[in-house]
Amino acid sequence: MVHAAYLMALLPLAGFAVLVAAGRRLGDPWAGWVGTVAVVGSFVVACIALAGLLSEPASARHFSANYFSWITVGGLQVKVGILLDPLSMTMCMFVTGVSALIHLYSIGYMKGDPEFSKFFIYLNLFVFSMVLLVLANNLLVMFVGWEGVGVCSYWLVSFWHERDSAASAGKKAFIYNRVGDVGFLIALFLIFSKVGSLDLTTIFAHRGALGSAGATAVALLLLLAAAGKSAQIPLFNWLPDAMEGPTPVSALIHAATMVTAGVYLLCRVNSILALSPDAMWVIAIIGGATAFVAATIATSQQDIKKVLVFSTVSQIGYMVLAVGTGAYIAAIFLMVAHAFYKGLLFLGAGSVIHGLHDEQDLKRMGGLARLLPWTYGTFLVGWLAIAGIPPFSGFWAKSDVLANVYQKSPALWALGLVTAILTAYYMTRLFVLAFRGDDRWAAAVDGHRPSDPHESPWVMRAPLVVLAVLAFAGGILDLPWVHRDGFASWLSPVFAHTLYLAHEGAGLQVVLAVIDAVVAVIGVSIAFALWRRSVDKPTLEPAFLQRVWYWDDFYDAVIGRPGQAMARFAATVVDGRIIDGAVNGAAAAVRKGASGVRRFQTGYVRNYALGIALGLAAVIAFVISRVWWS
């Protein structure tokens, strides 16, 4: 059954090809159904492959196959193939599953859009690229998938490119990711120079050839790549602007696919990371700092999608923090749970925006619980899950991360705990402002009262219900009492020699879990007390946080404006005076020389005859002088 795993990538690619050829003729909604069926088929193949892996003993759950040679140049041989093991299988399951739900949701959300078929073309190509990235058994093939999701995200974020903000957001996402890609490419060059191969199995078998310094360099370069793709400090600024795309794009990019690619990459190269404890500490610090900074920013955002975007940055920070402490299984567990509840929250936000006729300002919502009952009920589950309230999945996943971090670094654990309080606070603030309180959406704008909010159609509600169930029950995957036969034992063979195993006693585990639950309740309680009666609290929404710690302003000051000044200097001085001056000067010299030569071109035969005679006399005189002196 695992031998057909390549179909997980080929089916979305086939859907892409069909839609490119006939998407416009199929139109709305059939183009959407074709794209959805292609990804559902990919998910079905993933389930079959999962059954095939589970039928094997733990030590044999590893399938690798090469299908054809792509590049053969000197010592570089790149074959296109797949590597299916518990890690890539887990990624494929939730990537294809959640993507299928987002495709279904998009049929309703994008209804009536003039570029309906193009949207699903991009979605199918995005899923193909992500599955290729996950299944690749070679770092160069992985990089192809890595770039594929990057260019698709550019197209999707700037899908409504007639808006200047969307076009700018797409360019920003593209440029920031290219910065991270520099790290990936240099890491590839370094690995090949030391190991002589880009095949993952070969690299891991000969990782010692990297040496300590080489392993540190590779780890930090791949961290840069992950920071770009997974929106970590210092490259997290692009993700908030990515909300300019349609909301299903936000769910697809922010929840289950692209932003998790960086975490997956770091987990995949765990055997290299283990060679450099210093690099592991850098990874942990970057993850912890990102989680905290993004959480503080989320507390002051007024756009419902921006709150969720910064929440994504913060949650990915938790995953990177777990990777840095060697808690790879905890990172993947949180990744899976995050795909469920964050996908639910983004799609729920899309349902709210759809029902409010494209309104995204939390301060112009309120009282939606009775008008959008399905959205309200499912969003409630997502809110409690991400807030860390037991027994929802977010509590178990986040507690698993923090428990591992506590043993490794109490300081980072304390930072993670503060971040958990902030998470519960800002998500409760969002929930209260959107669904509770007065009907602020009813206030007239420019003299016109908006129509009443309406619930979404069934194609949008069905994915919400499925994700709500998963967000509630997803913690079953790795409950403490199923570690021996559950998610942890499933992934353990992948990290057999590098996994950090915390050694807390049962009593300490219970205490840490209770602390996690208590801080979640504290965050929820504070937010309820502060926001249930009033929406105007400027002291709680300082400009410093609304402006993202002035991070974009800083980049504008140290990179943007100097870059513009350099461009102006290059345009006016280098290009205008030096380059154009040299070209124009040469032309002027030729012109003057030609004007001088024109004086000899009189048109009179007697002048030409005189010139010939004088030249002949000069030649004769030269010859006579040579003979005389010889």
PDB file of all heavy atoms in Angstrom, residues 391-415:
ATOM      1  N   PRO A 391     -10.390  19.798  28.598  1.00  0.00           N
ATOM      2  CA  PRO A 391      -9.545  18.764  27.978  1.00  0.00           C
ATOM      3  C   PRO A 391      -9.324  18.978  26.491  1.00  0.00           C
ATOM      4  O   PRO A 391      -9.096  18.007  25.762  1.00  0.00           O
ATOM      5  CB  PRO A 391     -10.385  17.514  28.214  1.00  0.00           C
ATOM      6  CG  PRO A 391     -11.792  17.991  28.033  1.00  0.00           C
ATOM      7  CD  PRO A 391     -11.823  19.407  28.576  1.00  0.00           C
ATOM      8  N   PHE A 392      -9.422  20.187  26.002  1.00  0.00           N
ATOM      9  CA  PHE A 392      -9.261  20.442  24.575  1.00  0.00           C
ATOM     10  C   PHE A 392      -7.815  20.191  24.139  1.00  0.00           C
ATOM     11  O   PHE A 392      -6.885  20.216  24.948  1.00  0.00           O
ATOM     12  CB  PHE A 392      -9.683  21.876  24.261  1.00  0.00           C
ATOM     13  CG  PHE A 392     -11.147  22.136  24.494  1.00  0.00           C
ATOM     14  CD1 PHE A 392     -11.621  22.469  25.758  1.00  0.00           C
ATOM     15  CD2 PHE A 392     -12.060  22.030  23.458  1.00  0.00           C
ATOM     16  CE1 PHE A 392     -12.970  22.706  25.974  1.00  0.00           C
ATOM     17  CE2 PHE A 392     -13.411  22.264  23.665  1.00  0.00           C
ATOM     18  CZ  PHE A 392     -13.871  22.596  24.936  1.00  0.00           C
ATOM     19  N   SER A 393      -7.638  19.961  22.822  1.00  0.00           N
ATOM     20  CA  SER A 393      -6.343  19.484  22.310  1.00  0.00           C
ATOM     21  C   SER A 393      -5.199  20.437  22.610  1.00  0.00           C
ATOM     22  O   SER A 393      -4.072  20.002  22.865  1.00  0.00           O
ATOM     23  CB  SER A 393      -6.448  19.271  20.795  1.00  0.00           C
ATOM     24  OG  SER A 393      -6.778  20.488  20.141  1.00  0.00           O
ATOM     25  N   GLY A 394      -5.465  21.744  22.562  1.00  0.00           N
ATOM     26  CA  GLY A 394      -4.391  22.708  22.795  1.00  0.00           C
ATOM     27  C   GLY A 394      -3.759  22.582  24.164  1.00  0.00           C
ATOM     28  O   GLY A 394      -2.555  22.814  24.329  1.00  0.00           O
ATOM     29  N   PHE A 395      -4.552  22.210  25.166  1.00  0.00           N
ATOM     30  CA  PHE A 395      -4.008  22.040  26.522  1.00  0.00           C
ATOM     31  C   PHE A 395      -2.952  20.939  26.539  1.00  0.00           C
ATOM     32  O   PHE A 395      -1.848  21.124  27.063  1.00  0.00           O
ATOM     33  CB  PHE A 395      -5.134  21.710  27.495  1.00  0.00           C
ATOM     34  CG  PHE A 395      -4.649  21.223  28.833  1.00  0.00           C
ATOM     35  CD1 PHE A 395      -4.124  22.112  29.759  1.00  0.00           C
ATOM     36  CD2 PHE A 395      -4.697  19.870  29.164  1.00  0.00           C
ATOM     37  CE1 PHE A 395      -3.663  21.664  30.992  1.00  0.00           C
ATOM     38  CE2 PHE A 395      -4.244  19.413  30.393  1.00  0.00           C
ATOM     39  CZ  PHE A 395      -3.725  20.319  31.303  1.00  0.00           C
ATOM     40  N   TRP A 396      -3.258  19.802  25.963  1.00  0.00           N
ATOM     41  CA  TRP A 396      -2.332  18.659  25.995  1.00  0.00           C
ATOM     42  C   TRP A 396      -1.084  18.957  25.172  1.00  0.00           C
ATOM     43  O   TRP A 396       0.035  18.645  25.594  1.00  0.00           O
ATOM     44  CB  TRP A 396      -3.018  17.412  25.463  1.00  0.00           C
ATOM     45  CG  TRP A 396      -4.264  17.063  26.202  1.00  0.00           C
ATOM     46  CD1 TRP A 396      -5.543  17.199  25.769  1.00  0.00           C
ATOM     47  CD2 TRP A 396      -4.357  16.524  27.534  1.00  0.00           C
ATOM     48  NE1 TRP A 396      -6.427  16.794  26.734  1.00  0.00           N
ATOM     49  CE2 TRP A 396      -5.733  16.361  27.826  1.00  0.00           C
ATOM     50  CE3 TRP A 396      -3.416  16.167  28.507  1.00  0.00           C
ATOM     51  CZ2 TRP A 396      -6.183  15.863  29.043  1.00  0.00           C
ATOM     52  CZ3 TRP A 396      -3.866  15.661  29.708  1.00  0.00           C
ATOM     53  CH2 TRP A 396      -5.230  15.510  29.961  1.00  0.00           C
ATOM     54  N   ALA A 397      -1.289  19.556  23.992  1.00  0.00           N
ATOM     55  CA  ALA A 397      -0.147  19.809  23.110  1.00  0.00           C
ATOM     56  C   ALA A 397       0.798  20.852  23.700  1.00  0.00           C
ATOM     57  O   ALA A 397       2.015  20.680  23.714  1.00  0.00           O
ATOM     58  CB  ALA A 397      -0.653  20.258  21.738  1.00  0.00           C
ATOM     59  N   LYS A 398       0.225  21.950  24.211  1.00  0.00           N
ATOM     60  CA  LYS A 398       1.065  23.005  24.772  1.00  0.00           C
ATOM     61  C   LYS A 398       1.733  22.553  26.065  1.00  0.00           C
ATOM     62  O   LYS A 398       2.901  22.878  26.329  1.00  0.00           O
ATOM     63  CB  LYS A 398       0.221  24.257  25.016  1.00  0.00           C
ATOM     64  CG  LYS A 398       1.028  25.546  25.087  1.00  0.00           C
ATOM     65  CD  LYS A 398       0.122  26.754  25.196  1.00  0.00           C
ATOM     66  CE  LYS A 398      -0.781  26.884  24.005  1.00  0.00           C
ATOM     67  NZ  LYS A 398      -1.643  28.085  24.064  1.00  0.00           N
ATOM     68  N   SER A 399       1.020  21.785  26.870  1.00  0.00           N
ATOM     69  CA  SER A 399       1.599  21.272  28.113  1.00  0.00           C
ATOM     70  C   SER A 399       2.764  20.343  27.831  1.00  0.00           C
ATOM     71  O   SER A 399       3.754  20.322  28.580  1.00  0.00           O
ATOM     72  CB  SER A 399       0.528  20.551  28.932  1.00  0.00           C
ATOM     73  OG  SER A 399      -0.449  21.457  29.395  1.00  0.00           O
ATOM     74  N   ASP A 400       2.654  19.567  26.749  1.00  0.00           N
ATOM     75  CA  ASP A 400       3.745  18.669  26.378  1.00  0.00           C
ATOM     76  C   ASP A 400       5.005  19.466  26.047  1.00  0.00           C
ATOM     77  O   ASP A 400       6.117  19.108  26.452  1.00  0.00           O
ATOM     78  CB  ASP A 400       3.313  17.825  25.175  1.00  0.00           C
ATOM     79  CG  ASP A 400       4.181  16.585  25.002  1.00  0.00           C
ATOM     80  OD1 ASP A 400       4.980  16.285  25.906  1.00  0.00           O
ATOM     81  OD2 ASP A 400       4.053  15.912  23.967  1.00  0.00           O
ATOM     82  N   VAL A 401       4.835  20.562  25.322  1.00  0.00           N
ATOM     83  CA  VAL A 401       5.981  21.411  25.002  1.00  0.00           C
ATOM     84  C   VAL A 401       6.590  22.006  26.268  1.00  0.00           C
ATOM     85  O   VAL A 401       7.800  21.929  26.510  1.00  0.00           O
ATOM     86  CB  VAL A 401       5.565  22.538  24.036  1.00  0.00           C
ATOM     87  CG1 VAL A 401       6.706  23.558  23.877  1.00  0.00           C
ATOM     88  CG2 VAL A 401       5.181  21.964  22.681  1.00  0.00           C
ATOM     89  N   LEU A 402       5.742  22.613  27.109  1.00  0.00           N
ATOM     90  CA  LEU A 402       6.247  23.304  28.293  1.00  0.00           C
ATOM     91  C   LEU A 402       6.893  22.350  29.289  1.00  0.00           C
ATOM     92  O   LEU A 402       7.874  22.706  29.961  1.00  0.00           O
ATOM     93  CB  LEU A 402       5.109  24.080  28.958  1.00  0.00           C
ATOM     94  CG  LEU A 402       4.594  25.282  28.162  1.00  0.00           C
ATOM     95  CD1 LEU A 402       3.401  25.918  28.855  1.00  0.00           C
ATOM     96  CD2 LEU A 402       5.704  26.312  27.958  1.00  0.00           C
ATOM     97  N   ALA A 403       6.371  21.134  29.395  1.00  0.00           N
ATOM     98  CA  ALA A 403       6.959  20.165  30.313  1.00  0.00           C
ATOM     99  C   ALA A 403       8.384  19.820  29.895  1.00  0.00           C
ATOM    100  O   ALA A 403       9.287  19.693  30.733  1.00  0.00           O
ATOM    101  CB  ALA A 403       6.108  18.912  30.373  1.00  0.00           C
ATOM    102  N   ASN A 404       8.599  19.664  28.581  1.00  0.00           N
ATOM    103  CA  ASN A 404       9.948  19.374  28.087  1.00  0.00           C
ATOM    104  C   ASN A 404      10.870  20.579  28.259  1.00  0.00           C
ATOM    105  O   ASN A 404      12.040  20.440  28.610  1.00  0.00           O
ATOM    106  CB  ASN A 404       9.874  18.975  26.608  1.00  0.00           C
ATOM    107  CG  ASN A 404       9.434  17.540  26.407  1.00  0.00           C
ATOM    108  OD1 ASN A 404      10.234  16.613  26.446  1.00  0.00           O
ATOM    109  ND2 ASN A 404       8.141  17.347  26.214  1.00  0.00           N
ATOM    110  N   VAL A 405      10.337  21.771  28.006  1.00  0.00           N
ATOM    111  CA  VAL A 405      11.147  22.974  28.127  1.00  0.00           C
ATOM    112  C   VAL A 405      11.548  23.211  29.582  1.00  0.00           C
ATOM    113  O   VAL A 405      12.658  23.667  29.869  1.00  0.00           O
ATOM    114  CB  VAL A 405      10.377  24.190  27.571  1.00  0.00           C
ATOM    115  CG1 VAL A 405      11.137  25.485  27.851  1.00  0.00           C
ATOM    116  CG2 VAL A 405      10.146  24.034  26.072  1.00  0.00           C
ATOM    117  N   TYR A 406      10.659  22.880  30.526  1.00  0.00           N
ATOM    118  CA  TYR A 406      10.948  23.089  31.948  1.00  0.00           C
ATOM    119  C   TYR A 406      12.208  22.349  32.367  1.00  0.00           C
ATOM    120  O   TYR A 406      13.049  22.888  33.095  1.00  0.00           O
ATOM    121  CB  TYR A 406       9.760  22.620  32.795  1.00  0.00           C
ATOM    122  CG  TYR A 406       9.992  22.741  34.282  1.00  0.00           C
ATOM    123  CD1 TYR A 406       9.812  23.960  34.930  1.00  0.00           C
ATOM    124  CD2 TYR A 406      10.397  21.638  35.037  1.00  0.00           C
ATOM    125  CE1 TYR A 406      10.036  24.086  36.292  1.00  0.00           C
ATOM    126  CE2 TYR A 406      10.618  21.752  36.403  1.00  0.00           C
ATOM    127  CZ  TYR A 406      10.432  22.976  37.022  1.00  0.00           C
ATOM    128  OH  TYR A 406      10.665  23.095  38.373  1.00  0.00           O
ATOM    129  N   GLN A 407      12.368  21.133  31.920  1.00  0.00           N
ATOM    130  CA  GLN A 407      13.542  20.347  32.290  1.00  0.00           C
ATOM    131  C   GLN A 407      14.809  20.881  31.634  1.00  0.00           C
ATOM    132  O   GLN A 407      15.893  20.780  32.178  1.00  0.00           O
ATOM    133  CB  GLN A 407      13.341  18.880  31.891  1.00  0.00           C
ATOM    134  CG  GLN A 407      12.323  18.142  32.741  1.00  0.00           C
ATOM    135  CD  GLN A 407      12.837  17.900  34.153  1.00  0.00           C
ATOM    136  OE1 GLN A 407      14.008  17.608  34.363  1.00  0.00           O
ATOM    137  NE2 GLN A 407      11.952  18.016  35.136  1.00  0.00           N
ATOM    138  N   LYS A 408      14.661  21.467  30.469  1.00  0.00           N
ATOM    139  CA  LYS A 408      15.820  21.954  29.724  1.00  0.00           C
ATOM    140  C   LYS A 408      16.241  23.350  30.174  1.00  0.00           C
ATOM    141  O   LYS A 408      17.438  23.642  30.312  1.00  0.00           O
ATOM    142  CB  LYS A 408      15.479  21.978  28.231  1.00  0.00           C
ATOM    143  CG  LYS A 408      16.666  22.169  27.313  1.00  0.00           C
ATOM    144  CD  LYS A 408      17.463  20.889  27.166  1.00  0.00           C
ATOM    145  CE  LYS A 408      18.533  21.010  26.099  1.00  0.00           C
ATOM    146  NZ  LYS A 408      19.300  19.776  25.953  1.00  0.00           N
ATOM    147  N   SER A 409      15.242  24.229  30.400  1.00  0.00           N
ATOM    148  CA  SER A 409      15.547  25.614  30.769  1.00  0.00           C
ATOM    149  C   SER A 409      14.361  26.225  31.508  1.00  0.00           C
ATOM    150  O   SER A 409      13.372  26.602  30.868  1.00  0.00           O
ATOM    151  CB  SER A 409      15.870  26.444  29.519  1.00  0.00           C
ATOM    152  OG  SER A 409      15.955  27.812  29.845  1.00  0.00           O
ATOM    153  N   PRO A 410      14.414  26.346  32.817  1.00  0.00           N
ATOM    154  CA  PRO A 410      13.319  26.982  33.569  1.00  0.00           C
ATOM    155  C   PRO A 410      13.030  28.406  33.101  1.00  0.00           C
ATOM    156  O   PRO A 410      11.878  28.853  33.154  1.00  0.00           O
ATOM    157  CB  PRO A 410      13.827  26.950  35.012  1.00  0.00           C
ATOM    158  CG  PRO A 410      14.772  25.791  35.057  1.00  0.00           C
ATOM    159  CD  PRO A 410      15.437  25.777  33.709  1.00  0.00           C
ATOM    160  N   ALA A 411      14.061  29.127  32.631  1.00  0.00           N
ATOM    161  CA  ALA A 411      13.842  30.500  32.162  1.00  0.00           C
ATOM    162  C   ALA A 411      12.964  30.515  30.913  1.00  0.00           C
ATOM    163  O   ALA A 411      12.011  31.301  30.807  1.00  0.00           O
ATOM    164  CB  ALA A 411      15.185  31.173  31.879  1.00  0.00           C
ATOM    165  N   LEU A 412      13.271  29.625  29.963  1.00  0.00           N
ATOM    166  CA  LEU A 412      12.448  29.554  28.764  1.00  0.00           C
ATOM    167  C   LEU A 412      11.048  29.032  29.099  1.00  0.00           C
ATOM    168  O   LEU A 412      10.061  29.427  28.461  1.00  0.00           O
ATOM    169  CB  LEU A 412      13.120  28.660  27.715  1.00  0.00           C
ATOM    170  CG  LEU A 412      14.354  29.251  27.039  1.00  0.00           C
ATOM    171  CD1 LEU A 412      15.015  28.223  26.126  1.00  0.00           C
ATOM    172  CD2 LEU A 412      13.991  30.505  26.250  1.00  0.00           C
ATOM    173  N   TRP A 413      10.954  28.132  30.074  1.00  0.00           N
ATOM    174  CA  TRP A 413       9.638  27.651  30.509  1.00  0.00           C
ATOM    175  C   TRP A 413       8.814  28.809  31.062  1.00  0.00           C
ATOM    176  O   TRP A 413       7.616  28.932  30.751  1.00  0.00           O
ATOM    177  CB  TRP A 413       9.817  26.575  31.575  1.00  0.00           C
ATOM    178  CG  TRP A 413       8.534  26.167  32.253  1.00  0.00           C
ATOM    179  CD1 TRP A 413       7.594  25.296  31.775  1.00  0.00           C
ATOM    180  CD2 TRP A 413       8.049  26.612  33.526  1.00  0.00           C
ATOM    181  NE1 TRP A 413       6.555  25.176  32.659  1.00  0.00           N
ATOM    182  CE2 TRP A 413       6.805  25.970  33.744  1.00  0.00           C
ATOM    183  CE3 TRP A 413       8.544  27.485  34.494  1.00  0.00           C
ATOM    184  CZ2 TRP A 413       6.058  26.184  34.907  1.00  0.00           C
ATOM    185  CZ3 TRP A 413       7.796  27.703  35.640  1.00  0.00           C
ATOM    186  CH2 TRP A 413       6.577  27.058  35.847  1.00  0.00           C
ATOM    187  N   ALA A 414       9.418  29.671  31.857  1.00  0.00           N
ATOM    188  CA  ALA A 414       8.698  30.824  32.411  1.00  0.00           C
ATOM    189  C   ALA A 414       8.236  31.753  31.289  1.00  0.00           C
ATOM    190  O   ALA A 414       7.101  32.269  31.326  1.00  0.00           O
ATOM    191  CB  ALA A 414       9.594  31.574  33.390  1.00  0.00           C
ATOM    192  N   LEU A 415       9.082  31.956  30.290  1.00  0.00           N
ATOM    193  CA  LEU A 415       8.687  32.780  29.153  1.00  0.00           C
ATOM    194  C   LEU A 415       7.513  32.142  28.407  1.00  0.00           C
ATOM    195  O   LEU A 415       6.570  32.836  28.005  1.00  0.00           O
ATOM    196  CB  LEU A 415       9.877  32.956  28.212  1.00  0.00           C
ATOM    197  CG  LEU A 415       9.676  33.888  27.013  1.00  0.00           C
ATOM    198  CD1 LEU A 415       9.421  35.318  27.488  1.00  0.00           C
ATOM    199  CD2 LEU A 415      10.889  33.840  26.082  1.00  0.00           C
TER     200      LEU A 415
END
